[in-house]
Amino acid sequence: MERGPLARDITQLNRYTMKTITLAVAAACLGLAAIGGQAAKVTDQVSNNPLLEEWDTPFGVPPFDRIESEHYLPALRVGMEEQSAEIEAIVANPEDATFENTIEALERSGGTLAKISVVFTEVDGANGDDITRETASTLAPEQAAHYDDIVLNAALFDRVNAVYERRDDLDLSAEQRRLLDETYKQFVRAGANLSDDAQARLREINAELASLSQTFQENLLAETNDFELLVTDENDLGDLPASLVALAADEAKRRGHECECWAFTLHRPSINPFLQYSPNREMRKSLFIGYAKRGDNDNDADNKTTLARTVQLRAERSALMGYKSHAHFVQSDAMAENPDNVYKLLDQIWQPALRVSKQERADREEMMRADGIDDQLRGWDWRYYTEKVRKAKYDFDEESLLPYFEVNAVRDGVFALSTKLFGLQFERRTDIPTWHPDQQVFEVFEADGSHLGIVYMDFFARESKQGGAWMNEIRTQSRLDGEVTPIVTNNFNFPAPSGDSPSLISMTNAETLFHEFGHALHGMFSDVTYASLAGTNTPRDFVEFPSQVMENWMKEPEVLRLFASHYETGEPIPQEIIDKIKASAKFDQGFKTVEFIAAAYLDMAYHVLDSTEAVEPRGFENSAMTDIGLIDEIIPRYRSGYFAHIFSGGYSASYYGYIWAEVIDADAFQAFKETSLFDAETAARYRTEILSKGGTRSGADMYRSFRGRDPQIEPLLDRRGLN
Ligand SMILES: [Zn+2]
């Protein structure tokens, strides 16, 4: 399930990649180039910088009470210098390369940089200011260069390669072997194996791709901001909920309209409710088309040339690296392994989903006829008549759920679930420094009372926080040089309490809380030697599995009864509401699945190309969608011109990963349903074989150890009502 604009809900890159790349990812997501702000007053503060001192705090957490935004840049630069010196020492070692003096030494290098950059990434996202933003954009190129200097250091790669060539004679443990393989792979995937000429071309390609990605993002922002739909007749708002009407009125004022009117934009929280509730068909059409044509208007902000060039360069780069296509290159490092496996999965879900979406179309068409409209159902009609069908079938008002989902009650719900499954205990700590007074910090204990880790929870939206929800590890578990226990964070954008009213969150937000806590458990249960293989450092199409699986529990009546009580009366959630939640779970899933999978196919179509000839995106997309038999009333969740996940985010040839992880989570949850929801033995096996293993084994191997077989697709089809 996607969380936030670019779904950045987890940092999951390899450790010394992470040091350099998460900053760039965070910077890209924040659209830093577009943020002005005064130039940061960055002092050259190296002495008296708490980031560079020993952290004399409970559990060695960062001393947030003493860290100022100015401290990050100089400290991170010290961290880079330190690592460069450490790398130089590895290369200068007169002894032959060994696992210890090269692979482990590399793993140890950059300790200071790693320690500080994860804290910086978290704080910049969760409580950033002009200085942290400026720091992030200043650092992005410096860190990219620093990373290149490591992975393209020929003498260093020679040593890594020397160890790798003797890998079968070294008597390594399974985890050591994995570290060696992953380290070697990281160098090779960055181009270390290439000739000087090829490396030079690779650097050119990477630089051009980075700037194309930036252009794509800027064009998309311009196209999105350029559009507005101004409503002046209240009747055109239909049954739009009062809170959204108020938001639209604010938006109109913000845009300088002095009338009694309401402005709607192409941002999803604005467009979807309008399409759902407005009876004005012409207005729905204008908004829908405005959204769907972004980046494809043949104007200055058109994205077609940009994305065609991106696709072309990616094909050239993958050929340079010895792969058949960009998708082959990307997926060789994923659980899916190759495009054949991805297509196999997508095809199995596509046919049933398409069939169900055609039934849904018939229902909505009938509703439209009843409304007196004698025309073909269109894309801009779908959500409007879906809402009418939903009302007629389920009469289910999501607002009526809110009083049962007070944020601290939901938090206690996920804690209670963790106690039932794993025996964990939680204790609130108020002696631990935080980066914002809203934060809650908990010490987590094992069933036997021993310390497991620390979790920071930061629930509420505020100006200084980026959108969406995410988890971070601000200290990764390891035991290379003594036991290091994990420190993790969960971040959300829930409505803050105001006055006497507490923070009441929607069911979707409650799911998000369970989701992020699944990532937190993955980080905290890590039980490995090497930090770069710990916790959530697993492939992207696997890492969402431990989080998504938690969403299953949340909607089960037994779990709802653990925590969902009325915040004023204490009355437990009524059975009638539980029944409605259950009954509506499969509603509109044909549409939702089809729009998602269509986008996944589109991503694949661009990235399995093995020719470097430029495509013409409009025709290319049309024919890709005709090939799969997409119906006219549904468009892909993202069309080419605004598919930021794949053209300016990190999800190229990876968009399928969301549904891949969902197949696994549905099948894994089935293991509990086959025994009992809180079955201790299944939970222990899940912890041992999956949650504790980090990236020390392949996703497929871990899953087989847990389930005794490969994941099956039926539980997902069942859950979505597609069979
Ligand atoms: Zn997630």
Side-chain angles (χ1 to χ4, degrees), residues 1 3 7 9-10 469-471 515-516 519 543-544 547-548 551:
M1 191 163 277
R3 310 277 160 191
D9 78 341
I10 192 163
W470 70 95
M471 171 269 192
H515 175 105
E516 299 305 336
H519 287 309
V543 76
E544 291 299 325
S547 50
Q548 287 177 180
E551 298 176 29

